[in-house]
Amino acid sequence: MGLNIQEVRSLLLANNQDHVLDRLERLKGPAKDKLAAQLGSIDFEALFRAIHDSTSLSEKLKEPMEPIPYVNETDIGEKEQQALNELGWSLLRTGKVGAVVVAGGQGSRLGHEGPKGTLDIGLPSGKSLFQLQAERLLNLSNRAGKTIPWYIMTSPQNQAATEMFFHAADWFGYPPEDIFLFQQQTMPVLDHNWKLLFAAEDELMVAPSGHGECFASLGKSGAIDDMKRRGLEWVFYYNVDNALIKIADPAFIGLAASHSNPIATKVIEKTDSEEKIGIVCLKNGRPAVVEYSEIQDDVKNLRDTAGRLFYNLGHISIHLFKLDFVERHADAGLDYHIASKKMAYIDENGSLVKPSEPNAYKLERFIFDLFPQANGLTVFKTKREEEFAPVKNKGGEDSPQSARRLVLDLHRSWLTAAGIAVEELHDHDIEISPLRSYSGEGLHEYKASGLSSE
Ligand code: UTP
């Protein structure tokens, strides 16, 4: 990086981006200065290298795959479960765990105005995804007697809106000094002829370049230093758009800490080969995640003799990383994946074009491309209905409505487990505040006090 404008010009010319230089020539005054400044700030070397290297990623798809060993939650006996929980709690009590949420995505499929974490999925309380997460963390922090520091990855596009949302809500009762917002990187967007697109007459279009920017951005923002100063050992990583996320789950922390691997990941059973989640497996003998869009058809549909998917460990973006692993890989320079997306842009006449079909290539890094760097991966298979309610689309599958239903169904199951008769619940959609119960504990008093309290 750090190229002067002459070097930028040569790079653009060498990569068939003459239209950008023509535009720069045409502009005058502040508009010209603005575009020139932006051109000077973009890492074009990395961009064009990524485009040229994109074929090597397709080579990687052909690497041999095998299933990976895992621990199934349902196979763990009660005593061991208690021991894992206790180990997790002891790490929470001594302040060894922090949480990182990746919330820098554009949420283009959802189309919600504002950052995804500000979305209200329609629960009776009207709480946003961010509020649900803050309250789950507060529940554990209060019980542990130690606040879990919370690191929130935003993008240049949504940082201000995210910060304003938290401010306006008084940080949802979270100590502001324990919340750390940090911004991720972006990369230019190209059209399907590999030409750079414009977001305005005097501005190239850039987009957040994937959750794989997380460690680098933690490093650059000073968040890793903050983690070290606090004495953290583990970093709990999750997506902003999972309405059921059990952030900093003590049992998961306990399991990760009882193994010597630098990464642990939660998985769920994938039953439908077309479900849009990746698979956790071994590739070339190393831990790996294969993204759903990159799974070969014959592999995707492979079944064992009992008819179950052969590769059935579904990836749900819930990980624990050892802090020293995060630090060692903050400069990893992961490869970019190229995704085709529908993106509005400004054409050469200055008009806004809103395409109806995917028209643009976005470059994205994926955090799980670091998995092969780990000597081992602890894989924890958990229950889908307790852990996974993704909010990706406006309606239908993986939408606010489906996530709302999953949250309310889980809360209903907690209440029935606490001894409330099903008939009593029949007409009620009861939401349990995370401040009251993290995962169904402590609900027996509902039985005594009736159902109107929440
Ligand atoms: P997705 O890949 O589902 O992307 O992100 P998205 O931006 O939410 O939605 P679409 O694809 O545009 O519809 C999975 C998680 O990774 C985060 C998202 O915020 C989400 O929590 N993410 C994604 C980032 O933090 N940065 C990115 O550049 C991309």
Side-chain angles (χ1 to χ4, degrees):
M1 267 272 279
L3 302 179
N4 64 38
I5 195 73
Q6 262 331 313
E7 291 168 319
V8 170
R9 273 178 205 279
S10 320
L11 263 177
L12 291 175
L13 281 175
N15 288 282
N16 305 319
Q17 306 295 334
D18 314 32
H19 68 297
V20 178
L21 297 172
D22 295 346
R23 173 85 59 111
L24 188 64
E25 285 307 308
R26 278 207 310 273
L27 291 173
K28 304 222 171 343
K32 189 182 188 95
D33 296 343
K34 183 177 162 196
L35 181 58
Q38 191 193 19
L39 293 179
S41 73
I42 290 173
D43 190 350
F44 285 112
E45 280 174 321
L47 173 75
F48 296 123
R49 202 177 329 115
I51 295 170
H52 295 137
D53 290 355
S54 58
T55 44
S56 68
L57 272 179
S58 50
E59 282 307 303
K60 277 195 189 156
L61 299 184
K62 296 180 196 141
E63 289 170 355
M65 286 171 65
E66 292 166 82
I68 191 168
Y70 63 93
V71 177
N72 196 341
E73 188 179 6
T74 52
D75 294 341
I76 304 179
E78 206 172 312
K79 254 199 161 141
E80 197 188 341
Q81 184 76 49
Q82 268 173 13
L84 292 177
N85 256 313
E86 188 36 50
L87 178 55
W89 274 109
S90 72
L91 289 166
L92 288 172
R93 280 194 292 268
T94 49
K96 302 285 188 235
V97 184
V100 175
V101 57
V102 285
Q106 291 180 302
S108 47
R109 286 167 287 174
L110 182 66
H112 163 64
E113 263 306 303
K116 232 188 205 183
T118 65
L119 181 79
D120 160 8
I121 60 168
L123 289 171
S125 66
K127 287 176 187 172
S128 62
L129 291 170
F130 275 140
Q131 183 168 1
L132 295 172
Q133 294 166 23
E135 292 184 355
R136 283 177 200 149
L137 279 164
L138 280 172
N139 178 315
L140 294 184
S141 297
N142 293 339
R143 283 154 72 195
K146 185 95 189 158
T147 306
I148 300 167
W150 191 16
Y151 302 85
I152 301 174
M153 186 166 88
T154 63
S155 71
Q157 286 87 346
N158 73 13
Q159 160 100 9
T162 305
E163 199 164 351
M164 266 166 56
F165 187 74
F166 272 90
H167 252 297
D170 226 356
W171 306 91
F172 302 109
Y174 218 86
E177 65 277 15
D178 293 318
I179 295 191
F180 194 126
L181 266 66
F182 65 105
Q183 275 185 48
Q184 72 167 97
Q185 304 283 102
T186 57
M187 278 301 257
V189 178
L190 300 106
D191 70 13
H192 280 183
N193 295 314
W194 301 106
K195 302 274 186 213
L196 291 158
L197 283 170
F198 280 84
E201 277 217 284
D202 51 4
E203 190 185 336
L204 281 180
M205 185 185 291
V206 295
S209 41
H211 41 70
E213 299 290 5
C214 181
F215 291 1
S217 308
L218 280 171
K220 282 197 195 110
S221 63
I224 292 185
D225 291 337
D226 183 80
M227 291 172 171
K228 284 164 66 178
R229 192 176 49 71
R230 290 170 188 263
L232 300 192
E233 285 175 11
W234 287 97
V235 175
F236 181 95
Y237 168 105
Y238 68 99
N239 281 356
V240 73
D241 54 15
N242 179 359
L244 280 178
I245 183 70
K246 284 168 75 174
I247 313 173
D249 172 13
F252 183 43
I253 297 168
L255 184 82
S258 65
H259 288 68
S260 57
N261 300 321
I263 313 179
T265 189
K266 277 190 181 178
V267 295
I268 53 172
E269 169 126 11
K270 186 170 177 171
T271 48
D272 169 4
S273 63
E274 295 307 320
E275 186 183 11
K276 290 189 167 131
I277 55 176
I279 48 181
V280 178
C281 60
L282 291 171
K283 272 202 125 185
N284 269 345
R286 311 288 302 174
V289 174
V290 183
E291 248 266 306
Y292 66 84
S293 55
E294 296 176 350
I295 310 173
Q296 318 273 44
D297 272 352
D298 51 340
V299 171
K300 194 157 61 181
N301 296 313
L302 209 60
R303 292 190 182 264
D304 63 16
T305 46
R308 287 173 59 200
L309 287 175
F310 188 69
Y311 290 106
N312 61 23
L313 301 181
H315 167 252
I316 49 173
S317 302
I318 303 176
H319 317 304
L320 274 160
F321 293 102
K322 267 268 174 72
L323 179 57
D324 58 357
F325 184 89
V326 175
E327 194 180 11
R328 260 186 292 120
H329 293 90
D331 296 319
L334 294 172
D335 287 338
Y336 290 97
H337 297 245
I338 294 181
S340 180
K341 302 263 174 176
K342 203 166 65 182
M343 298 182 82
Y345 63 97
I346 298 293
D347 70 9
E348 58 278 15
N349 306 314
S351 313
L352 176 68
V353 181
K354 286 189 174 170
S356 53
E357 293 298 319
N359 62 311
Y361 290 131
K362 216 169 124 173
L363 274 70
E364 288 191 309
R365 287 179 157 148
F366 296 158
I367 195 77
F368 48 74
D369 280 342
L370 283 168
F371 281 20
Q373 310 284 328
N375 289 332
L377 175 69
T378 306
V379 182
F380 189 32
K381 185 167 163 188
T382 59
K383 299 188 193 104
R384 174 188 288 267
E385 64 279 11
E386 293 180 3
E387 310 264 355
F388 191 52
V391 183
K392 300 287 182 193
N393 307 314
K394 241 190 216 338
E397 248 176 32
D398 299 345
S399 64
Q401 298 83 327
S402 64
R404 169 186 180 276
R405 191 65 265 151
L406 287 165
V407 172
L408 293 173
D409 285 351
L410 178 67
H411 291 186
R412 168 178 293 235
S413 76
W414 290 352
L415 290 169
T416 48
I420 295 173
V422 181
E423 310 79 64
E424 229 182 310
L425 292 170
H426 207 264
D427 286 332
H428 301 272
D429 263 340
I430 295 166
E431 178 189 355
I432 313 282
S433 166
L435 293 171
R436 177 160 193 154
S437 185
Y438 175 82
S439 58
E441 74 289 350
L443 296 177
H444 285 90
E445 64 268 35
Y446 265 88
K447 198 172 154 118
S449 64
L451 292 172
S452 55
S453 52
E454 194 86 22

